[in-house]
Amino acid sequence: MTTAPSQHWTAVCSLTDILPGTGVCALVADRHIAIFRLAGDELYAIDNIDPRSGASVLSRGLVGNLGDQLVVASPLYKNHFDLRTGACLETPEHSVRSYPVRLSGDSVMVASG
Amino acid sequence: MKILLIGHGMVGHKFLEELAQLRQPGTEVTVLCEEPRAAYDRVHLSEFFAGKSADDLSLVAPGFFEDSGFTLRLNTRAVAIDRRARTVTTAGGEVLPYDKLVIATGSVPFVPPVQGNDRADCFVYRTIEDLEAMTAAGARSRSGVVVGGGLLGLECAKALRDLGLETHVVEFAPRLMAVQVDDDGGRILRGKIEELGVRVHTGRNTLEITDGARARHRMVFADGSHLEADMIVFSAGIRPQDILARQNALAVGARGGIAVDDQCRSSDPDIYAIGECAAWRDQLFGLVAPGYDMARVAARHITGQTEVAFGGADMSTKLKLMGVDVASIGDAQGRTPDSRSFRYMDECKRIYKKIVVSADGKQLLGAVLVGNADEYGTLLQMALNRIALPADPEFLILPASDGKAKPGLGVDALPDSAQICSCNNVSKGELCAAVAGGATTLGALKACTKAGATCGGCVPLVTQVMKAEMARLGMAVNNHLCEHFPYSRQELFHLIKVGGIKSFGELIARHGKGLGCDICKPTAASIFASCWNEFVLKQELASLQDSNDYFLGNIQKDGTYSVVPRMPGGEVTPDGLIAVGQVAKKYGLYTKVTGGARVDMFGARLEQLPAIWEELIAAGFESGHAYGKSLRTVKSCVGSTWCRYGVGDSVGLAVELENRYKGLRAPHKIKFGVSGCTRECAEAQGKDVGVIATEKGWNLYVCGNGGMKPRHAELLASDLDKETLVRLIDRFLMFYVRTADRLQRTSTWRDNLEGGLDYLKNVVVQDSLGLAAELEAQMAHVVATYQCEWKTAVTSPEVRKRFRTFVNDGRPDARIVFVEERGQIRPARAEERPAAMADSTTEMAV
Ligand SMILES: Cc1cc2nc3c(=O)[nH]c(=O)nc-3n(C[C@H](O)[C@H](O)[C@H](O)COP(=O)(O)OP(=O)(O)OC[C@H]3O[C@@H](n4cnc5c(N)ncnc54)[C@H](O)[C@@H]3O)c2cc1C
C-alpha cells in the first residue's frame, strides 16, 4: 500500500444510518468517533469524547453554524466544537481531533490513524 | 444613643430599615408595638380576604431584628412621655429612657358620632384583628353596610361582597370618592360599582342605629329613609393618632397631627413624628409614600445628616377598586383660578377622563381617570415636571383612532430628578445609572432599584426609561433569538402559527438564514410542538431536538440517561412500585424518590432505554417528560380523602391536571402543586401553577418558583369551580407558552411582564385581549393530540434503531463504569475509572 499510514479508511455504516442534521458514534480501532451528516450529504468526523466530562457524547449534540464555522454543541455543557477541525470555541484547551471522512457509494468511510 | 420608636406600622418599619442601612455604631433601638404582630402591609390588607395570611403580609424580612440588633416589643402600648426625664411609660407600667424618640402611631379610623355606633357587629377597617372579626361576623350575616364611599370604603365593600354578603355603601356626600373625583367621574364610578352588585346610597346622613326588623341593625337617615343590615363597617375617614403629643404639650397641626418641621422634628427637638400621625405645614398625608419619605428623612437626621429635608408630597393616586381603575392627579377638581378642562366620557363602556390645564393651555394641573387609567403615568409626569403640553392636549385622553399613536410623554423630556417610582423614591437618574451598570431587563432593573416593586403602577414608565436609555447608550435593544433569526421567541411563535409552518427547513428559508444552532433548533421544535403537537422524534423534527428530547431521557454527566415514569399527582399503586423496582433491579439502575414526588432511575445506557421503557409501558406507565421543557409534575398532599383537615380532593385534582397538561411543550419546565387546604402541604405557592382548596372551591396561584430564586406565587383568581379553574389554567399556560422568552420560567416571565399582575389578570381572567377562545382552543388541540412519546418510540423500528451506542458495533460503551455507594451504583470518578474499567472488563469476559 502506498497510502500514508494515517489514511487507513474504515467503512462504518451506510449513509441512511445517519439522519440528516444529526450524528452517530462509530467504534474504530478502539476510538470513539462522532460522524455528522449535515443537510445533503456533507459528512464530518471528530472525537466523540467530550474532554470536559470524559463522556462519550459529542455525536449526540446539536449541529449548526456560528458565523462561518460549522459546529456541534456538546449535549452536556453546550460548548461548541468546529466540525472541520475539532477546535473548541469556548475553551481551546478542550479541543478534539478531527478525522477525514468520505462517502464511497452508500458507504460512510472514516480514516483513523 | 438610645432611640425609642413608638408604633411599628408601615412607616415605623421603614424607619427601622433605613436606620439599619445607615449602620450607626453605638445606637440602641427599641420598638414599642401595640399590635400583637410586627409591621405588615396595610396597603394590601384586603388581600387577607383573598387568602393571604398575616405572614404573607408581613413587612419584616426574615432575620431583620436578629441582624440589626434592634429590640421589638409586641403588645406594648406607650401611654405617657416624660419629656424632662426623657422617658416613655408603657401600659404595663415600665419606664424606658430615650435620647431620641420617634412617634409613628399612624391614624385611627373615624367613627361618626351617631347613637348606636358601638353596637355589636359594628366594625372599623384598619388591622388584621378587624378583618378577623369581620370574617367571623360575615359567616353569620346576610347583609352588610359600609359607611363611607371613599377609597377605603369601596375597598371594604368589595371585601364584604367577597364574603358573600348583600352589600351597601352609604355616603354622606352626593358622590363616591368625593375627594378624588368630580361629579361626572363619580357618576361613572357609581355605575361601575353598582354593576358589580353593590348598592350605593349617596347623600345620606345617618342619625342613629337601632335594632332592625329583618336584620340585626337599622340605620336611620336624616331624610327619613332607613336601611337594614346584619353588620356595619365604618370607613368614614381617619384621624391622626396624636394623643401622646396632646397629653405632653407638643404642638399639633390645625387639623390635628403632631406638628413637624422639614426634618420631621416636633416642637421638642428630641422627638420626631413620621407617617400618618404627623402634620407637616398643617397637612396630613393618608398615604404610605409620603410616610416613607418622612422615615428616610428622620433616620438620616437622627444619625447626623443635617441637610436632609421633607418637601411635602404629591397626593395623586391610582387604584383598582373592585376591578375598576380610578386615578386622580393634582388639581382634579379644577380649583385653580382660570383653569380649563377637557373631558371625555363614554357611558357605554363607563369610562371617564378629564384633564385640567392652566389658563394659557401650556401646563397640566390635574386629571381624573375612571374606568381606564392607562394614561396615569404619562399624565402624572407631565403634571409633576411641568412639561409643556402638546398643541391639542385633548388627544392625551381621547381613545386612539385609526391606529394613530397617542402623543407620548417622550421620557427624554423628563429631567433626571423626575421621580418615576414614588413608592420607593426612584428617580429617572437612578434608573439610568442602573441601566448603564448593566440592568438591561425589567426584572434586573426592579431587583436593583426596587422601582416598580411595590404597587407596580410605574412599570410601563420604568420600561420606557430603560429602553430610551439603552438606545441612548447605543446598547442594542435586541431580543433576537440568535444569529439565525432576527426575531424574539414570541415573534417566531407568531410567524410559525400564522404561517402554518411545520418544519425547520421552511422556517429558516422564510424567516432566517444559515443552518441554525443549538439555540434556535430546540426553540423551533418547542414551538412546533406547542402549535401542532406532532411526534417529537418524527424524521423532520428529530434533528432539532436537544439530546434529552432526542433520546427521551435526561443525559447525565457520564453520558447515561435517567428513566422517569409519570406518576400523576405522586400517586402510585403497590403493583406499580413493584414493577419499577423490578425494572431497576434487572437493569442495575440507581433509584431515588425525587422532590417532584416520583421515582427516578439513573444509569441507563442508550441502548438499554427502549427495552426498559417497553417493560415500564407494559406495567402501565407513561413517559414522565422529565427530559422536556414541559410539564414535569403536579405535587399534591393527600387532601380531603384522608386528611382530617382537608377541604378539597387535592390528589384527584392533581391527577386530573397532570393528565391534562402532560406533554405540553413550553419555553421552560413547568411544575404544579395542589393543596387540599390552606395549610399548603403541597407547597403550591412555590410552583408555576398552584392550586389551593378553599371552602368554596379552588384558589389559583401563578408564577411561583422554588429553586434558584424563590418567588411566591400570586393569587390570580379565587373560589373557582373546577371547570373555571381548568379554563383559566389553559389560558394562563398558553399565554405563557406564546409570549415567554426561551428558557424563561413563569416567575421571570412575570417579573418582566410590563403590566404586572393586573395585566395578567386582565388577559387571563377578564380576557382583555380577546384571546381567551384562541388560547383555550390551542390547549384543547394539545390535550387531544397527546401521545406517550416512549410508546410511539418503542413501537417504531425506525426510531428504535437510533438508540445504539455505536453505529457499527453492538457492544456497550466500555467507558461507562460504576462503583457502589450506599448499596447502589454511582458513576465512577475520573480517578476511580481505570480500576473500575479493568473490573468491568473481567466481568464481561466471565
Ligand atoms: C385597607 C387599607 C388600604 C390602604 N390602601 C392604601 C393604598 O392603596 N395606598 C396608600 O398609599 N395607602 C393606603 N393605605 C394607607 C396606609 O396603610 C397608611 O398610609 C400607612 O399604613 C401609614 O403608616 P403608619 O406607620 O403611619 O401607620 P400604621 O401603619 O397605622 O402604623 C401605626 C402603628 O402604631 C401603633 N400604635 C399607635 N399608637 C401606639 C402606642 N401608643 N403605642 C404603641 N403602638 C402604637 C398602631 O397600632 C399601628 O400598628 C391603606 C390603609 C388601609 C387600612
Side-chain angles (χ1 to χ4, degrees):
Chain A
M1 289 279 263
T2 50
T3 23
S6 64
Q7 294 292 296
H8 175 73
W9 293 93
T10 310
V12 291
C13 61
S14 75
L15 186 65
T16 50
D17 285 331
I18 318 179
L19 209 57
T22 71
V24 295
C25 176
L27 187 64
V28 182
D30 275 353
R31 277 177 188 281
H32 296 201
I33 299 179
I35 302 169
F36 300 95
R37 173 180 176 189
L38 267 52
D41 298 342
E42 268 176 76
L43 293 168
Y44 298 92
I46 62 174
D47 273 328
N48 195 51
I49 293 172
D50 171 23
R52 185 158 162 202
S53 58
S56 184
V57 294
L58 292 187
S59 61
R60 305 178 206 164
L62 278 165
V63 295
N65 76 297
L66 292 180
D68 297 335
Q69 282 170 302
L70 296 176
V71 294
V72 60
S74 160
L76 284 172
Y77 300 109
K78 316 288 171 191
N79 38 335
H80 297 90
F81 297 86
D82 188 315
L83 292 182
R84 296 188 182 98
T85 65
C88 176
L89 273 50
E90 289 83 3
T91 38
E93 62 273 26
H94 283 159
S95 296
V96 298
R97 266 193 69 170
S98 64
Y99 301 86
V101 55
R102 66 180 164 87
L103 199 59
S104 166
D106 179 46
S107 207
V108 176
M109 315 279 292
V110 32
S112 70
Chain B
M1 176 169 56
K2 284 191 167 55
I3 301 175
L4 190 60
L5 170 67
I6 304 181
H8 191 227
M10 298 191 74
V11 173
H13 188 65
K14 180 56 115 194
F15 170 79
L16 296 179
E17 285 180 345
E18 293 288 327
L19 208 56
Q21 235 172 33
L22 294 167
R23 280 181 219 287
Q24 192 78 359
T27 45
E28 198 183 298
V29 182
T30 306
V31 189
L32 306 184
C33 174
E34 170 190 48
E35 295 192 53
R37 58 175 61 77
Y40 51 89
D41 187 353
R42 221 178 285 289
V43 169
H44 294 106
L45 190 61
S46 300
E47 290 174 22
F48 188 79
F49 288 117
K52 284 244 166 123
S53 67
D55 274 352
D56 293 335
L57 291 174
S58 173
L59 291 176
V60 183
F64 176 81
F65 283 99
E66 291 81 347
D67 296 345
S68 62
F70 299 169
T71 310
L72 172 67
R73 311 200 24 181
L74 298 177
N75 296 307
T76 309
R77 182 179 161 77
V79 291
I81 305 173
D82 182 337
R83 288 169 50 194
R84 216 161 333 136
R86 295 212 281 195
T87 59
V88 168
T89 308
T90 69
E94 227 178 325
V95 179
L96 303 162
Y98 68 80
D99 298 308
K100 300 284 177 193
L101 178 64
V102 180
I103 305 180
T105 46
S107 299
V108 284
F110 169 69
V111 178
V114 297
Q115 267 288 298
N117 64 10
D118 54 352
R119 293 163 57 93
D121 290 335
C122 289
F123 304 93
V124 293
Y125 196 57
R126 180 90 191 165
T127 64
I128 288 184
E129 282 66 33
D130 294 333
L131 269 63
E132 283 170 347
M134 282 170 63
T135 312
R140 51 175 193 269
S141 301
R142 279 185 26 250
S143 55
V145 177
V146 178
V147 180
L151 285 180
L152 279 188
L154 293 182
E155 206 175 300
C156 181
K158 171 176 187 330
L160 291 189
R161 201 200 48 175
D162 289 350
L163 287 174
L165 305 187
E166 172 197 315
T167 305
H168 301 262
V169 172
V170 170
E171 167 61 50
F172 178 71
R175 63 167 181 271
L176 293 175
M177 288 187 64
V179 183
Q180 292 88 353
V181 308
D182 58 5
D183 277 337
D184 283 334
R187 199 146 53 79
I188 291 281
L189 180 61
R190 176 182 185 140
K192 280 252 176 198
I193 302 284
E194 287 183 330
E195 213 172 73
L196 296 166
V198 172
R199 311 258 299 273
V200 178
H201 315 262
T202 49
R204 291 294 205 293
N205 182 9
T206 311
L207 290 184
E208 63 169 339
I209 304 168
T210 60
D211 282 339
R214 280 166 301 109
R216 278 198 281 283
H217 310 290
R218 166 180 289 205
M219 304 182 67
V220 183
F221 303 120
D223 62 5
S225 62
H226 65 81
L227 176 65
E228 296 206 347
D230 293 323
M231 60 188 280
I232 298 175
V233 186
F234 293 103
S235 182
I238 50 173
R239 299 288 179 267
Q241 176 52 284
D242 54 10
I243 180 144
L244 287 170
R246 289 179 190 274
Q247 285 168 353
N248 291 282
L250 291 174
V252 291
R255 290 187 289 153
I258 307 168
V260 296
D261 63 11
D262 290 359
Q263 280 70 45
C264 298
R265 276 175 307 190
S266 70
S267 52
D268 177 337
D270 288 329
I271 301 181
Y272 293 71
I274 54 178
E276 286 188 346
C277 65
W280 177 81
R281 302 189 186 171
D282 285 341
Q283 284 178 60
L284 297 163
F285 301 94
L287 294 174
V288 72
Y292 280 2
D293 268 347
M294 292 183 187
R296 272 186 282 266
V297 169
R300 286 186 167 64
H301 195 258
I302 287 179
T303 51
Q305 300 181 27
T306 45
E307 74 286 12
V308 290
F310 176 73
D314 176 65
M315 295 297 279
S316 301
T317 36
K318 176 184 162 195
L319 303 136
K320 198 172 207 81
L321 291 165
M322 309 210 226
V324 184
D325 281 320
V326 184
S328 152
I329 293 173
D331 181 8
Q333 319 277 5
R335 299 214 169 99
T336 311
D338 299 329
S339 62
R340 302 161 188 196
S341 68
F342 295 81
R343 297 157 202 242
Y344 169 76
M345 182 145 137
D346 175 344
E347 290 193 313
C348 300
K349 292 200 187 118
R350 298 197 200 272
I351 292 173
Y352 175 75
K353 298 183 180 188
K354 173 172 93 169
I355 49 175
V356 178
V357 306
S358 57
D360 59 5
K362 294 219 171 91
Q363 267 185 29
L364 184 67
L365 303 174
V368 177
L369 306 168
V370 178
N372 171 319
D374 289 351
E375 298 85 359
Y376 177 74
T378 303
L379 294 176
L380 179 63
Q381 293 298 333
M382 285 193 151
L384 290 181
N385 297 293
R386 296 166 206 266
I387 291 172
L389 281 171
D392 304 312
E394 64 272 28
F395 285 109
L396 289 169
I397 51 169
L398 288 178
S401 61
D402 309 334
K404 215 172 76 185
K406 281 195 182 193
L409 164 65
V411 287
D412 291 340
L414 293 178
D416 270 356
S417 59
Q419 189 191 48
I420 306 289
C421 170
S422 57
C423 296
N424 296 298
N425 189 24
V426 185
S427 67
K428 179 185 164 195
E430 286 165 286
L431 286 176
C432 293
V435 170
T440 52
T441 65
L442 184 57
L445 201 55
K446 260 193 205 171
C448 77
T449 62
K450 289 220 171 128
T454 303
C455 81
C458 62
V459 170
L461 205 59
V462 171
T463 312
Q464 278 183 43
V465 170
M466 178 183 83
K467 289 196 174 145
E469 186 62 10
M470 283 172 71
R472 203 182 66 78
L473 294 175
M475 293 184 193
V477 191
N478 177 338
N479 51 6
H480 299 176
L481 190 60
C482 64
E483 67 179 69
H484 305 102
F485 291 97
Y487 300 104
S488 66
R489 182 187 174 281
Q490 182 175 355
E491 289 161 342
L492 214 57
F493 193 105
H494 186 75
L495 292 171
I496 290 174
K497 173 118 185 105
V498 172
I501 300 174
K502 294 186 172 182
S503 79
F504 191 73
E506 185 184 350
L507 180 66
I508 206 154
R510 282 174 61 180
H511 302 291
K513 60 166 200 271
L515 301 176
C517 65
D518 54 310
I519 306 282
C520 58
K521 282 181 172 180
T523 304
S526 163
I527 299 175
F528 291 146
S530 306
C531 288
W532 322 121
N533 211 23
E534 296 181 303
F535 179 48
V536 294
L537 296 187
K538 195 180 142 178
Q539 175 117 12
E540 305 86 281
L541 297 176
S543 68
L544 309 176
Q545 310 295 349
D546 193 60
S547 180
N548 287 354
D549 277 305
Y550 190 83
F551 294 115
L552 306 176
N554 256 341
I555 192 166
Q556 304 300 318
K557 59 198 280 187
D558 60 349
T560 62
Y561 289 83
S562 63
V563 174
V564 186
R566 187 168 293 291
M567 295 180 181
E571 198 175 66
V572 59
T573 62
D575 281 340
L577 269 182
I578 290 168
V580 167
Q582 279 169 341
V583 167
K585 200 161 181 179
K586 175 166 170 190
Y587 293 91
L589 306 175
Y590 166 84
T591 53
K592 181 178 187 305
V593 176
T594 70
R598 53 188 184 180
V599 181
D600 283 14
M601 291 168 264
F602 287 82
R605 293 190 312 266
L606 202 53
E607 70 276 8
Q608 294 178 313
L609 287 171
I612 290 175
W613 274 102
E614 215 158 37
E615 292 187 31
L616 290 170
I617 289 166
F621 287 104
E622 291 184 314
S623 167
H625 290 96
Y627 45 81
K629 304 287 179 239
S630 53
L631 174 78
R632 293 289 169 84
T633 58
V634 181
K635 184 172 175 177
S636 67
C637 65
V638 290
S640 56
T641 318
W642 292 90
C643 176
R644 62 194 193 283
Y645 300 115
V647 296
D649 174 14
S650 45
V651 182
L653 182 69
V655 170
E656 232 180 291
L657 293 177
E658 186 157 342
N659 280 324
R660 181 171 181 81
Y661 300 112
K662 62 189 175 190
L664 169 72
R665 290 299 201 279
H668 210 312
K669 60 184 170 188
I670 301 171
K671 297 180 179 178
F672 278 41
V674 182
S675 278
C677 77
T678 49
R679 284 182 175 72
E680 244 286 65
C681 295
E683 296 164 342
Q685 289 169 96
K687 307 287 188 228
D688 299 281
V689 174
V691 180
I692 301 177
T694 68
E695 302 284 347
K696 295 184 211 146
W698 304 96
N699 280 357
L700 172 59
Y701 293 81
V702 294
C703 302
N705 195 4
M708 198 149 62
K709 243 182 103 194
R711 180 182 198 278
H712 239 263
E714 294 157 316
L715 185 67
L716 192 73
S718 26
D719 297 327
L720 305 167
D721 57 60
K722 197 165 74 189
E723 201 186 318
T724 316
L725 173 76
V726 169
R727 202 162 58 228
L728 295 188
I729 300 177
D730 278 5
R731 295 179 187 175
F732 167 76
L733 287 177
M734 266 306 163
F735 188 54
Y736 161 66
V737 164
R738 279 189 176 205
T739 59
D741 281 335
R742 154 186 179 271
L743 298 189
Q744 194 175 40
R745 288 291 294 269
T746 58
S747 57
T748 8
W749 170 69
R750 159 69 186 83
D751 282 339
N752 283 289
L753 213 55
E754 263 186 43
L757 182 64
D758 278 344
Y759 173 71
L760 191 59
K761 280 187 184 164
N762 283 342
V763 174
V764 174
V765 186
Q766 267 103 41
D767 191 18
S768 61
L769 297 181
L771 264 182
E774 201 180 317
L775 298 173
E776 288 171 33
Q778 199 179 346
M779 185 62 83
H781 174 71
V782 170
V783 172
T785 50
Y786 166 81
Q787 56 182 307
C788 169
E789 287 154 0
W790 264 115
K791 193 166 185 180
T792 315
V794 297
T795 46
S796 153
E798 174 61 31
V799 172
R800 209 170 159 143
K801 206 177 74 182
R802 297 179 203 151
F803 290 83
R804 63 195 158 187
T805 296
F806 301 115
V807 68
N808 60 341
D809 196 307
R811 277 176 296 175
D813 177 358
R815 298 175 51 88
I816 298 177
V817 280
F818 304 111
V819 295
E820 204 186 289
E821 189 171 87
R822 295 186 296 276
Q824 297 204 69
I825 59 158
R826 72 157 166 80
R829 288 192 272 270
E831 70 276 13
E832 297 165 334
R833 209 179 250 166
M837 274 173 79
D839 275 1
S840 69
T841 342
T842 39
E843 245 169 63
M844 273 182 207
V846 176

